[in-house]
Amino acid sequence: MACDDPEALEDLGRSNPAPGTTLGAMIEARLSRRFALLAGAAALLAGGAEGSAAAPVAHSSGNTPGAGPSTLTFPELRHQLAEGDAVAEGHRIQVLLRWGDPILAEAPDFDAGRQSVEAQSRQFGYNNDFLNFFPLPRGSRASDHGLLVVNHEYTGAAQMFPGLGGGSANARRQRVSAEQARIEMAAHGGSVVEVRREGADWHYVKDSRYNRRITAMTPIRLSGPAAGHAKMQTSADPTGRQVLGMLNNCAGGDTPWGTVLTCEENTNYYFGGAAAESGPQAAHYKRYGIGREAAWSWPKHEARFNLDREPNEPNRFGWVVEYDPYDPTSMPVKRTALGRFKHEGCTHAVCPDGRVAFYSGDDERFEYLYKFVTNRPFVPNDPAANRDLLDGGVLHVARFEANGTLRWLRLVQGEGPLTPENGFHSQADVVIEARRAGDLVGATPMDRPEDVETNRANGRVYVMLTNNSRRTAEQVNAANPRPRNLHGHVVEIIPPGAGTEAVDHAAAEARWGIFLAAGKPGVDAGAQYHRATSENGWLSCPDNCAFDSKGRIWIATDGADDAAGIADGLYAADTDGAGRALTRCFYQAPVGAEVCGPCFTPDDTTVFLSIQHPGEGEASYEQPTTRWPDFDEGMPPRPSVIAITKIGGGPVG
Ligand code: FEO
Ligand code: CA
Ligand code: CA
């Protein structure tokens, strides 16, 4: 159950069993939903709505080597849906950071029954998502010491707080008190935490001078074309240049000059008011999914989240945020030149001429894929020269042609339809309403673009398209070929020069193809992998991904439990050679959790994972479906970051 899914937010109500639901009953309910989904898929296949039938299943493994032609040699894990997590044999899971862990000086130990704003502001936040490892010392390739940058995407009130009663998750969210709402704000944002490996064991360094919390209350500078614009001004900030906090930071990325990028995604859910339907920005709000009723209770408790009090506050969220993880005093900056939408993440690629391209997906059904290219080249070893590189450049949106060409369309004020007649008076208007600009230039509506990552080994770019249950047979296009796409797919982009030293990520065109189509081979219509993919190797709902230094893709999933009746997990596959797209199951999360943020140390000996919202969607604080990772009767389930290593050492996988 992902926060990024408005339907899921509704579904939290419709599918939420009564408190006291057992894990067994819940799994049974999910399996019967799965049966209904399969019946739908079979009907599609019979009706010929799909282009091709699923690939045959050659291997059936499960804790047997059976790697086929894959270069990955770990014994494949079996699919499961359980209270605990599991990893491929020969590997070890360590819980490194849990919601509530004290990370700043004077932070109290976590006490679930006595949460406070002050404590949460100094403790590890809720729902860890994106992870990035920055070695210590800075500039080194250290793999046993570094800073872990972590996003805290959102809060799950029903699992966080006792006493919210029954009903849907949305209904329980509305019951949080003003004090609890402030705790939720303190649990959002991000953390920077010093981590160290001693022998085989990872631990975090409490009170490190590097440790930092960013919350929904932290001052953040606005820069780029939208900074200072009238639509960015509020009564608390008449300059339109400084905002309090960042919200719903999902995935992220980094820059070649050593800063981190953290991306605001579903910021629409925090705002509400009558102006959503009747105010002067009603059409704009609607295009961005902002409605009269917020999913969070915050507009009731804090005026800035109420559209009728502060109509411009939502325009100050939905951006890519940059900061220096090595300097806890540095003020984060929202870089508006990269556009405003539901950014999943942001990945960079350096072009042959030194300019830098940044790819970012807008994670919503029928939304677009974007690329920003800096105007100036990045200058190695000159922080001052790169400081504001993200304020000048060209934003593009993707159009996938059926002939395999990807055209990057420029979103520049004054060009094509982006004129004053259409409401685009300046580049500020273009970036604030990037979605509407994309509509007008003819971008391709995608099946929820999640993570986009660059594979340095082959110069290609991989786009996770997580699912789109609402696409009809009439709405399919070449890059999104399945109606009612429950399991998602992965698109592979091949820029000019891919496979050489000079990959041109700034080019106006590239080639594209489908790397895999998720779902169960032989069962889910259109599922497509390497033909040797095993009964445990298939996946559902790709969300985040990472590449190890050999260029193999590691895909984390979000939503496989609902879509396919299996736990979310981490899967690995070669991207080239005989084992291309032969996915293998490596890790399975506890029930209710999604897997995010896969992140390798430079030497590949550790992969960090974010295990987000364990136990979400079912039951309550009092009667959770799992108490992972503590399994202590006094503890609710806690979103946590884990470190996976190979027993005896060596690269993971
Ligand atoms: Fe927050 Fe798109 O996942
Ligand atoms: Ca995500
Ligand atoms: Ca997701």
Side-chain angles (χ1 to χ4, degrees):
M1 197 76 55
C3 77
D4 33 39
D5 186 339
E7 193 172 59
L9 279 166
E10 293 306 313
D11 287 348
L12 286 172
R14 288 200 293 274
S15 65
N16 202 25
T21 301
T22 64
L23 179 65
M26 197 196 74
I27 290 173
E28 200 173 304
R30 289 192 173 197
L31 290 178
S32 61
R33 279 209 296 282
R34 166 73 174 155
F35 180 78
L37 297 176
L38 290 180
L44 266 180
L45 197 58
E50 294 289 322
S52 62
V57 178
H59 282 243
S60 62
S61 60
N63 288 329
T64 56
S70 174
T71 65
L72 292 145
T73 56
F74 63 84
E76 191 170 21
L77 185 67
R78 282 182 195 279
H79 283 154
Q80 65 169 46
L81 189 58
E83 288 183 66
D85 57 351
V87 69
E89 199 180 312
H91 294 79
R92 173 178 174 224
I93 300 168
Q94 293 170 66
V95 181
L96 177 59
L97 284 159
R98 306 162 203 236
W99 165 48
D101 276 348
I103 56 173
L104 301 191
E106 291 151 38
D109 286 339
F110 181 64
D111 183 340
R114 291 184 55 197
Q115 299 176 47
S116 71
V117 180
E118 294 67 31
Q120 181 63 82
S121 305
R122 295 177 172 84
Q123 295 168 335
F124 196 63
Y126 204 82
N127 271 350
N128 32 249
D129 197 304
F130 170 73
L131 301 173
N132 207 341
F133 180 82
F134 287 83
L136 282 171
R138 185 175 200 154
S140 75
R141 299 271 302 164
S143 287
D144 56 358
H145 189 203
L147 301 177
L148 206 54
V149 174
V150 187
N151 282 355
H152 299 297
E153 188 182 21
Y154 71 108
T155 44
Q159 284 77 39
M160 274 177 90
F161 303 121
L164 291 182
S168 71
N170 275 357
R172 286 181 280 178
R173 263 196 196 96
Q174 293 301 327
R175 287 185 207 126
V176 311
S177 66
E179 168 73 2
Q180 286 171 330
R182 298 280 293 174
I183 295 170
E184 289 183 311
M185 290 174 206
H188 276 68
S191 293
V192 179
V193 190
E194 184 179 345
V195 295
R196 194 186 271 281
R197 192 182 68 203
E198 275 158 340
D201 297 329
W202 278 100
H203 61 89
Y204 77 90
V205 182
K206 198 191 164 195
D207 300 353
S208 160
R209 69 184 177 88
Y210 293 107
N211 289 1
R212 171 172 203 180
R213 276 302 322 279
I214 297 171
T215 73
M217 284 92 87
T218 303
I220 297 182
R221 184 165 72 86
L222 291 154
S223 76
H229 189 274
K231 284 184 202 158
M232 302 292 276
Q233 297 167 0
T234 65
S235 48
D237 172 31
T239 70
R241 294 182 184 276
Q242 188 168 303
V243 56
L244 289 183
M246 56 187 197
L247 288 177
N248 212 278
N249 292 69
C250 194
D254 53 21
T255 66
W257 51 94
T259 57
V260 67
L261 303 176
T262 167
C263 298
E264 295 183 304
E265 194 189 38
N266 298 287
T267 60
N268 55 316
Y269 296 140
Y270 301 87
F271 300 91
E277 287 159 8
S278 54
Q281 296 192 67
H284 164 199
Y285 292 149
K286 185 164 187 236
R287 186 68 186 82
Y288 277 78
I290 297 165
R292 177 184 274 267
E293 305 295 337
W296 267 255
S297 68
W298 300 2
K300 287 192 276 197
H301 303 302
E302 198 144 331
R304 69 181 173 121
F305 296 105
N306 181 340
L307 301 173
D308 303 321
R309 302 280 293 277
E310 288 297 346
N312 289 335
E313 188 73 356
N315 300 336
R316 294 143 61 87
F317 295 87
W319 304 103
V320 173
V321 187
E322 180 184 21
Y323 68 94
D324 179 355
Y326 293 95
D327 179 3
T329 66
S330 64
M331 184 183 279
V333 184
K334 295 196 183 186
R335 298 291 184 184
T336 68
L338 280 74
R340 173 171 165 264
F341 47 89
K342 292 189 174 189
H343 289 275
E344 168 71 20
C346 192
T347 189
H348 82 262
V350 180
C351 304
D353 63 5
R355 287 181 297 159
V356 189
F358 292 85
Y359 296 91
S360 185
D362 183 353
D363 179 10
E364 184 57 271
R365 296 177 191 81
F366 306 107
E367 291 300 340
Y368 308 136
L369 175 68
Y370 295 80
K371 177 178 81 171
F372 177 81
V373 181
T374 60
N375 285 336
R376 286 187 290 116
F378 132 76
V379 186
N381 306 314
D382 187 351
N386 304 316
R387 189 165 295 136
D388 294 318
L389 215 50
L390 289 176
D391 288 341
V394 178
L395 185 63
H396 304 74
V397 68
R399 183 180 173 90
F400 291 83
E401 306 288 6
N403 66 3
T405 300
L406 166 52
R407 290 172 54 212
W408 289 108
L409 310 172
R410 291 160 59 90
L411 298 180
V412 177
Q413 195 274 338
E415 294 186 10
L418 307 182
T419 57
E421 297 75 63
N422 287 322
F424 296 104
H425 300 274
S426 67
Q427 189 63 18
D429 291 322
V430 173
V431 294
I432 292 169
E433 292 192 75
R435 284 182 167 180
R436 193 166 67 85
D439 298 342
L440 290 176
V441 301
T444 301
M446 309 295 286
D447 287 346
R448 296 187 51 200
E450 292 258 25
D451 211 352
V452 184
E453 293 292 336
T454 313
N455 186 353
R456 315 269 175 227
N458 63 11
R460 300 180 179 196
V461 179
Y462 293 77
V463 185
M464 306 299 112
L465 296 153
T466 197
N467 57 51
N468 183 352
S469 56
R470 291 192 194 150
R471 190 180 290 278
T472 64
E474 293 71 42
Q475 291 171 319
V476 299
N477 57 52
N480 302 272
R482 286 197 287 188
R484 196 159 178 257
N485 182 5
L486 298 171
H487 302 289
H489 56 290
V490 176
V491 161
E492 186 177 48
I493 296 172
I494 310 165
T500 71
E501 288 294 298
V503 191
D504 189 4
H505 290 276
E509 289 192 356
R511 303 289 298 163
W512 70 271
I514 289 181
F515 177 70
L516 66 79
K520 185 171 185 177
V523 175
D524 292 307
Q528 224 180 312
Y529 303 83
H530 189 287
R531 58 188 296 113
T533 300
S534 83
E535 65 180 314
N536 292 292
W538 60 274
L539 57 98
S540 176
C541 303
D543 185 333
N544 293 137
C545 80
F547 295 91
D548 62 26
S549 48
K550 291 194 170 77
R552 299 178 297 202
I553 192 168
W554 293 72
I555 300 173
T557 72
D558 170 18
D561 49 355
D562 271 348
I566 57 174
D568 279 314
L570 183 69
Y571 298 80
D574 292 319
T575 52
D576 291 294
R580 177 176 152 88
L582 203 179
T583 47
R584 297 172 55 74
C585 181
F586 179 74
Y587 171 83
Q588 291 273 277
V591 65
E594 69 170 279
V595 182
C596 332
C599 170
F600 286 89
T601 51
D603 65 0
D604 291 344
T605 57
T606 300
V607 60
F608 298 104
L609 290 181
S610 258
I611 308 306
Q612 194 185 102
H613 57 72
E616 187 185 70
E618 319 285 344
S620 63
Y621 179 97
E622 287 81 4
Q623 289 170 301
T625 48
T626 177
R627 291 191 188 275
W628 185 91
D630 303 296
F631 293 107
D632 174 332
E633 282 303 305
M635 271 305 178
R638 291 206 279 171
S640 300
V641 173
I642 61 173
I644 298 179
T645 51
K646 196 169 185 176
I647 295 168
V652 164

